[in-house]
Amino acid sequence: MEVPTNERADLPVATAEDTVDDIVRRSGRTGRGFPVRRTFLQQLDEKGELVPGPLAGLVAAGDHRALLLYLLLLTKASAIPWNAALPAAVWARAIGIDLPTSKTATSTISKIWLRLERRHLVARSRFKRMADITLLCEDGSGLPYTSPGGAGESYLQIPMLLWTAGPEHGGRWYRTLSLPEVAVLLIARSHGDAFRLPFEEGPRWYGISADTIARGVKGLRLHGLLATEKTFKKAPLSPVGYTAEHRYTLHPPFGPIGRTSSSARARRPVAS
């Protein structure tokens, strides 16, 4: 029998932090992060042109909860058959959704899984009256999931500290960062240090609006997670003979990456 919320004050109830810590521990991941294929962010079509990955749709829909739940599933489903079955209330508590009853939790989490299923990122079945969620390939193709790292595959690593650490004033990063900030964090982790991210290229490169990219960059900077350098390069057709651009490098605990972005060239940094 479920105990009403107003009668739980004296019970040793697990917090969101306790829950996500246990999920991370039980995932069995011995490394410092969990992998995400770059095709979740961007892909190439048959003509070799850049097209957005599934991340764009989640951001455009403002579906912060679905993105967090998907990233948590990628963390937990760490081995064949790449699945996880937990009570809906556990998933809800882990990502910080405070719901009054298990019935409400089941309805809310079920709707989130359904949205991810419709984006062909997961498949659903039942196991002991719980939803059994199986990963599909991150590109949204609906193909079976496999461990990243095959020939020619590119993927990024998201530090586990997204779940287990947070800013000095308290909380965890996954609950502190906004949807634009999480999106830009994923993009930043897919690059090396001193990478370029012109806001106006957000729609073409990632299917994410310039305004959302700008808000994500600004937010990460305010959290002390992103350093910015203003750089200059020659521009023969510019009236002044040069153009200015910004380059970004992640700060701990999410960076630096330890390798220079392939787009970085000789430049003259200016403090900003």
Side-chain angles (χ1 to χ4, degrees):
M1 179 177 179
E2 188 168 2
V3 179
T5 302
N6 60 1
E7 297 181 14
R8 298 179 188 176
D10 297 328
L11 297 177
V13 179
T15 65
E17 289 78 10
D18 296 330
T19 304
V20 80
D21 285 347
D22 208 48
I23 289 174
V24 168
R25 179 179 63 82
R26 291 172 182 270
S27 73
R29 294 190 181 277
T30 58
R32 296 181 179 178
F34 61 96
V36 183
R37 284 180 174 83
R38 285 194 62 163
T39 52
F40 181 62
L41 311 181
Q42 62 179 192
Q43 306 169 20
L44 294 176
D45 64 14
E46 295 178 354
K47 298 179 181 179
E49 299 291 334
L50 280 175
V51 293
L55 175 64
L58 293 171
V59 173
D63 207 342
H64 194 182
R65 288 177 171 181
L67 178 57
L68 288 182
L69 195 59
Y70 178 63
L71 294 178
L72 191 56
L73 178 64
L74 282 169
T75 301
K76 177 161 177 55
S78 58
I80 295 171
W82 313 112
N83 69 324
L86 291 172
V90 173
W91 289 115
R93 185 169 62 247
I95 63 173
I97 304 176
D98 187 15
L99 297 170
T101 67
S102 294
K103 184 176 180 180
T104 307
T106 298
S107 175
T108 300
I109 296 300
S110 178
K111 289 176 182 176
I112 298 175
W113 288 131
L114 176 60
R115 297 199 295 271
L116 290 169
E117 184 178 41
R118 286 174 173 171
R119 296 185 186 280
H120 308 293
L121 292 170
V122 304
R124 297 188 298 170
S125 59
R126 302 296 296 178
F127 175 76
K128 294 183 178 180
R129 300 180 65 183
M130 296 182 293
D132 188 9
I133 311 299
T134 300
L135 287 170
L136 298 177
C137 189
E138 298 99 317
D139 62 4
S141 65
L143 292 172
Y145 182 86
T146 57
S147 181
E153 280 193 323
S154 179
Y155 65 94
L156 51 139
Q157 287 278 352
I158 306 300
M160 289 294 194
L161 293 172
L162 173 68
W163 308 116
T164 61
E168 292 181 0
H169 56 73
R172 300 290 178 93
W173 286 119
Y174 77 97
R175 298 187 66 180
T176 299
L177 299 179
S178 67
L179 178 58
E181 290 161 4
V182 174
V184 172
L185 174 62
L186 294 177
I187 291 169
R189 286 292 305 182
S190 73
H191 290 275
D193 302 325
F195 67 92
R196 294 179 61 242
L197 185 58
F199 300 166
E200 67 276 9
E201 294 289 1
R204 185 171 71 89
W205 290 359
Y206 299 102
I208 299 174
S209 72
D211 179 64
T212 299
I213 294 288
R215 285 188 285 125
V217 167
K218 180 180 179 181
L220 291 181
R221 290 190 64 183
L222 290 175
H223 288 303
L225 298 175
L226 194 67
T228 306
E229 285 184 334
K230 190 174 183 179
T231 65
F232 296 92
K233 66 178 183 179
K234 291 181 180 180
L237 300 183
S238 167
V240 293
Y242 64 87
T243 60
E245 64 184 20
H246 292 86
R247 292 183 180 270
Y248 305 99
T249 299
L250 285 168
H251 275 178
F254 301 114
I257 303 298
R259 55 179 173 78
T260 303
S261 170
S262 59
S263 65
R265 302 184 180 90
R267 60 195 187 277
R268 179 184 175 187
V270 174
S272 61

